[in-house]
Amino acid sequence: MYSLLIVDDERWVRQGLCSTIDWQAEGVEVIGDAEDGEEALRIIQSRIPDIIITDIKMPRMDGLALIETLKNRKLSSKIIIISGYSDFSYAQKAMRYGAVDYVLKPIEETQMLDVVRKCVSQIKSEKEDHLEFIQMSERIRESLPLARQRYLETLLINESASNQYLRTLWDRLNIHLDPNRLKVSIVKVYDWGPHENNPKEHYVLRHAIGNIAKEIGKVGGKIITCPLDNHEDTDLAVLLSPINEDDRGSGSIMESLIEACRRYLGIGINIGSSQICEYTNIHASFRAAVYAGAYAFYDGYGKVYDTERLEQLKPLQVQPYIGPNGWGIRFVHAVKLGDEAALSELIDELIAHLQMSRVKYSPYQLRTGLTTLFSEMDKKLESSYSTEQHSVRKKLIIPYCALPEMKDELLAVVRQFQYGHNTLGNRKRFIDMAIKYMEQHFTEAIMMNQVAEHLFLNPSYFSKIFHENTGETFSKYLIRLRMDKAKDLLKDSTLKIYEVAERVGYQDFRHFVKLFKEQEGMTPAQYRDLGVK
């Protein structure tokens, strides 16, 4: 069970939160409630809650002061802010202090539950990551000292390293691999799953992949792994001295590693493997493994690509792939104009050019060239952004997918980028789109984050521009929209009051009546009886 403390100076709010939500079903225990920050701190002295729901404006110690005090005491409780104030600066300040999210009064049960579940999910993830980090750290200290890792990185990446000096270190570092029989494999994470936007987790996961590889590889020979935190093409290198002379079994080890990473870590990896080599050729073997893994660009990610099973690995062209002639200039122009038809045609042209270029370039060259091309387009478009836009804009990042699926994936990337690029130049258009979406879905339990995601916008940024352009918060606008629809139904239909409530998105009849009275100054029944026009 996760513990919860509720802090609000209004008694009816505290009682409502305690009694109207089935906390036990959510695995949450309410350990108490307090009317201000000082009373909350007294409760916290005896038991630190996992989650705290607190109002911002309270007598004596308000919510912001409470959050700051908890932060200074280095307490890890997740904070949810509730407030009757729609001023965006309050929520911003609370988020800077470390609040997970905020909910505006009147509180909707579904919205509050979504935020609490978000907190629970974060707590679970942090506990799992902390435990995994401790376990990984212990294993790293035992099996892969920093000196050994730096040495292996030098062997793999530095082509001009001194062989004689490196062989001396090989012996001194007690590397239990046969220096004359080494097979190099590279692991590239193409799908970080739920860890996509957290580079700190990427660091932990690289070591986790290495530990799994060592466990699986015990049956196939001696094995050492080397995480590569800053290498564009590789996240982890695996060095193996096969037991069998004909290298049987190494392929199945790598296939098992792919399956284990998906099952236990929730991530997708792709693997390229070299032929057996001596340690003096380890850099060349590393590059061969990288080139082999790049064949996923042709045949799909999540597989093992071994140089022995591939016809050719050397680049066919010395010059890098740069795309169709003049394509970049036309692409930038189409993005700035917002011409979706032209962008679709340009993507078709690029995919066709990539397909034709397969006979001239290796898959590594095509993938690398494509990444460079889009990076250059991103930089050219970046100059047209204001300082404010830089914090919310999407980047042109090439997805990891095979060439046959690349068209749809690129269209999605470009479309998201285009939405972000046009946002600040045409805010009203996006607010109109948001309002249209709300009018189409107001009968559903729609949330602000859902509408922001529909528009490919950062939720915090969307909240800000929505308030600036409508004069209301998203929550208040949605309530007013629903009440206007309810008034039409009350005037023009014979539906019962609870049926009207359901028609405009409220399953809780009492909550609907309360909101209607706050909005109109009378109950729905009184409104109907008066025949207000």
Side-chain angles (χ1 to χ4, degrees), residues 8-37:
D8 197 295
D9 60 328
E10 295 182 277
R11 185 177 180 181
W12 68 270
V13 173
R14 300 197 306 272
Q15 291 177 340
L17 284 171
C18 289
S19 60
T20 59
I21 297 177
D22 186 359
W23 294 113
Q24 188 173 6
E26 299 295 323
V28 174
E29 174 193 5
V30 179
I31 63 171
D33 61 270
E35 64 180 11
D36 60 35

Side-chain angles (χ1 to χ4, degrees), residues 178 180-181 220 241-250 276 308:
D178 183 349
N180 298 313
R181 296 192 70 253
S241 288
I243 294 176
N244 300 314
E245 289 295 326
D246 57 1
D247 187 29
R248 288 177 300 171
S250 63
I276 294 177
E308 294 184 2

Side-chain angles (χ1 to χ4, degrees), residues 156 183-192 202 205-214 216 223-239 250 253-262 265 267-274 285-286 288-294 296 301-305 400:
L156 294 164
K183 189 177 183 70
V184 180
S185 296
I186 62 97
V187 175
K188 177 63 183 176
V189 180
Y190 67 91
D191 177 12
W192 291 100
H202 296 183
L205 286 168
R206 289 186 186 97
H207 288 279
I209 297 168
N211 284 318
I212 292 174
K214 284 182 282 190
I216 295 174
I223 192 168
I224 288 180
T225 62
C226 180
L228 298 171
D229 297 324
N230 300 302
H231 198 281
E232 184 177 353
D233 301 316
T234 312
D235 288 290
L236 178 84
V238 180
L239 280 68
S250 63
I253 290 173
M254 295 298 115
E255 289 171 358
S256 297
L257 179 59
I258 291 173
E259 175 61 27
C261 286
R262 176 61 70 187
L265 302 180
I267 62 176
I269 66 171
N270 193 72
I271 296 177
S273 296
S274 74
S285 295
F286 174 74
V290 170
Y291 284 128
Y301 287 82
K303 301 178 182 179
V304 179
Y305 292 91
Y400 283 98

Side-chain angles (χ1 to χ4, degrees), residues 282-300:
I282 200 169
H283 172 76
S285 295
F286 174 74
R287 295 307 302 165
V290 170
Y291 284 128
Y295 272 79
F297 188 58
Y298 287 169
D299 300 322

Side-chain angles (χ1 to χ4, degrees), residues 339-401:
D339 190 339
E340 294 192 14
L343 285 169
S344 181
E345 291 178 4
L346 284 166
I347 296 298
D348 283 337
E349 179 184 345
L350 178 62
I351 297 301
H353 193 266
L354 286 166
Q355 292 284 9
M356 289 190 298
S357 299
R358 288 182 59 161
V359 297
K360 297 181 180 179
Y361 295 91
S362 70
Y364 178 80
Q365 284 179 300
L366 287 182
R367 167 78 200 188
T368 303
L370 185 63
T371 300
T372 302
L373 176 64
F374 270 69
S375 177
E376 291 172 353
M377 299 307 99
D378 187 75
K379 289 177 181 177
K380 289 179 180 179
L381 288 164
E382 184 179 14
S383 62
S384 64
Y385 277 82
S386 66
T387 302
E388 183 182 3
Q389 281 177 301
H390 280 207
S391 63
V392 298
R393 79 184 191 95
K394 298 282 186 179
K395 280 188 170 291
L396 280 171
I397 299 175
I398 302 300
Y400 283 98
C401 65

Side-chain angles (χ1 to χ4, degrees), residues 109-168:
E109 178 181 333
T110 54
Q111 187 178 5
M112 179 58 75
L113 277 175
D114 284 343
V115 179
V116 170
R117 288 166 183 163
K118 177 180 176 181
C119 291
V120 169
S121 177
Q122 288 184 6
I123 294 168
K124 286 181 179 177
S125 179
E126 288 170 3
K127 287 182 177 178
E128 290 171 357
D129 287 348
H130 180 67
L131 178 60
E132 184 178 38
F133 182 81
I134 291 174
Q135 294 172 341
M136 294 302 107
S137 298
E138 291 297 326
R139 292 176 185 173
I140 291 166
R141 281 193 290 270
E142 293 172 1
S143 63
L144 191 62
L146 182 60
R148 182 183 294 178
Q149 180 167 340
R150 292 291 176 265
Y151 168 71
L152 291 174
E153 286 180 8
T154 302
L155 275 179
L156 294 164
I157 298 171
N158 189 349
E159 185 175 8
S160 60
S162 168
N163 290 336
Q164 183 177 359
Y165 173 66
L166 290 177
R167 178 54 200 266
T168 302

Side-chain angles (χ1 to χ4, degrees), residues 58-78:
M58 295 181 294
R60 294 189 292 183
M61 179 183 280
D62 64 15
L64 293 178
L66 173 61
I67 297 174
E68 189 172 15
T69 302
L70 296 174
K71 183 179 180 181
N72 291 336
R73 294 184 182 182
K74 302 187 184 304
L75 299 182
S76 60
S77 302
K78 300 297 179 183

